[in-house]
Amino acid sequence: PAPPRLSVMNAQNVAIAAGAMATIGTIKYVFDKPSRTYVDGENTVGQEYDAWTQEGILEYYWGEHIHLGWYEDEELARGAGTLIGNKVKDFIEAKFDFVDKMREWSGATSPAKVLDVGCGIGGTSRHLAKTFGAGTSVTGITLSPNQVKRATELAAEQGVPNAQFQVMNALEMTFPDDTFDLVWACESGEHMPDKKKYVEEMVRVLKPGGKIVIATWCQRETPPEFTQKEKDNLQFLYEEWAHPYFISYEEYERLLKGTGAMESTGAEDWVKNTIASWRHSIWVGVWDPWPVVFAGPKVWYKTVREIVTLE
């Protein structure tokens, strides 16, 4: 009797192992297949931001500024943005610091009219409106009606009457030429299907002598050409987070100069002081998981997808 029992047990073990391998293979297939591909003309970006805004999870963890944060060298040396150093710098505070760094770098001091291109739920617009004061009017535009609604609610709650929001396509803005003293674009360029038109439209609505400041996700310059692994990673990111394509920050500078309207331009690589944001966004959820836990299976799935994409 012993040998047959052993055979049955071995068969069971093989079946369990085969089932486990099949499950792992299915999970890998699902997470390796991008789920939010950019589709030109279908407002893919606006729809995704509508969904994220309605869920509220992104706002809970990321705060009013749905963009990267700024980490000083000294803070990074103390472990800011890591699992153990999660509280060295507050994740949401880092985003306010990023806005202030952008503002300082722009050189703008008291612009009368500011345009925030890709304003999200308006965190940057409201912060700029408060910082510059009542003499400054800030207009934020986004493709997402839900973001406009939430941005307007928060402006009213915070008592910021000099910030207003509109649904508008940044590639087809309805503002007249020479309207704004400062045009601000934080992490919107990566979503644009025509980078040249994106830059030209911002320059068009900028007053002569005004300032443009752009912070955006970029790829490196070529040559050297991208390896196949780099191409695969870029393609996955495009198709998972609704991006048509990236360009280098050097190319953005060339596009600005190419308009013939900008007297001087400059560009810097801020990766070192911002890259910690990505892992930090995971660790804040590890330390405070309950909003995701109670949100249900759909949010669990989306959260795991985000972690896979970040890693």
Side-chain angles (χ1 to χ4, degrees):
R5 186 186 306 165
L6 183 61
S7 297
V8 170
M9 291 176 65
N10 284 342
Q12 289 175 335
N13 289 342
V14 169
I16 291 170
M21 291 298 292
T23 300
I24 292 170
T26 300
I27 292 171
K28 186 176 188 307
Y29 173 79
V30 169
F31 284 104
D32 281 351
K33 187 177 177 60
S35 65
R36 292 172 289 196
T37 303
Y38 176 86
V39 181
D40 193 21
E42 295 192 13
N43 195 22
T44 319
V45 175
Q47 291 170 12
E48 288 302 325
Y49 279 117
D50 271 347
W52 283 333
T53 304
Q54 188 170 358
E55 289 164 359
I57 294 295
L58 200 61
E59 182 179 343
Y60 177 86
Y61 286 111
W62 287 65
E64 299 179 46
H65 305 274
I66 315 300
H67 57 65
L68 301 184
W70 180 271
Y71 301 79
E72 297 289 353
D73 292 346
E74 179 271 334
E75 292 167 335
L76 292 171
R78 290 165 49 213
T82 64
L83 176 60
I84 303 302
N86 180 60
K87 295 189 181 298
V88 169
K89 180 159 193 171
D90 182 78
F91 184 56
I92 292 176
E93 178 190 344
K95 301 174 191 319
F96 282 96
D97 288 350
F98 184 93
V99 174
D100 289 335
K101 285 290 181 183
M102 266 187 80
R103 177 180 51 77
E104 292 167 8
W105 199 75
S106 76
T109 53
S110 55
K113 299 186 72 174
V114 177
L115 175 64
D116 184 1
V117 180
C119 63
I121 60 172
T124 296
S125 301
R126 290 185 298 276
H127 186 63
L128 292 176
K130 295 172 188 175
T131 302
F132 288 132
T136 295
S137 171
V138 182
T139 301
I141 63 170
T142 171
L143 289 171
S144 165
N146 282 358
Q147 287 188 328
V148 167
K149 179 176 180 291
R150 184 61 180 147
T152 302
E153 291 171 351
L154 290 170
E157 290 174 13
Q158 297 171 12
V160 189
N162 55 328
Q164 51 274 326
F165 306 93
Q166 302 179 38
V167 175
M168 190 180 295
N169 184 347
L171 301 184
E172 299 174 348
M173 290 190 280
T174 57
F175 304 116
D177 295 356
D178 308 334
T179 298
F180 298 97
D181 303 283
L182 171 64
V183 175
W184 179 287
C186 183
E187 297 183 39
S188 57
E190 55 267 28
H191 291 300
M192 301 298 166
D194 186 337
K195 313 300 189 199
K196 184 171 183 288
K197 183 68 180 297
Y198 169 61
V199 168
E200 288 173 347
E201 269 293 274
M202 291 192 290
V203 171
R204 179 185 69 78
V205 300
L206 184 71
K207 290 179 182 178
K211 298 179 182 295
I212 290 181
V213 59
I214 303 170
T216 185
W217 301 5
C218 297
Q219 65 185 40
R220 66 170 172 80
E221 288 268 80
T222 55
E225 296 304 314
F226 291 113
T227 65
Q228 189 58 50
K229 180 175 176 56
E230 288 173 328
K231 290 178 182 178
D232 291 343
N233 287 340
L234 276 171
Q235 194 62 39
F236 183 85
L237 191 55
Y238 295 158
E239 295 180 359
E240 179 63 18
W241 279 351
H243 298 306
Y245 66 99
F246 299 150
I247 60 175
S248 67
Y249 73 87
E250 295 95 337
E251 180 63 13
Y252 274 107
E253 185 175 12
R254 288 191 286 268
L255 288 173
L256 282 164
K257 289 179 177 177
T259 65
M262 305 305 294
E263 292 181 5
S264 62
T265 62
E268 288 185 3
D269 183 347
W270 283 10
V271 169
K272 183 184 71 168
N273 297 102
T274 60
I275 195 68
S277 300
W278 292 120
R279 288 265 174 83
H280 203 173
S281 71
I282 296 174
W283 304 137
V284 293
V286 169
W287 285 105
D288 181 16
W290 302 116
V292 171
V293 171
F294 293 130
K298 183 179 179 181
V299 171
W300 301 346
Y301 171 71
K302 290 181 72 173
T303 301
V304 173
R305 287 203 70 96
E306 305 296 3
I307 294 171
V308 170
T309 304
L310 292 175
E311 290 300 320

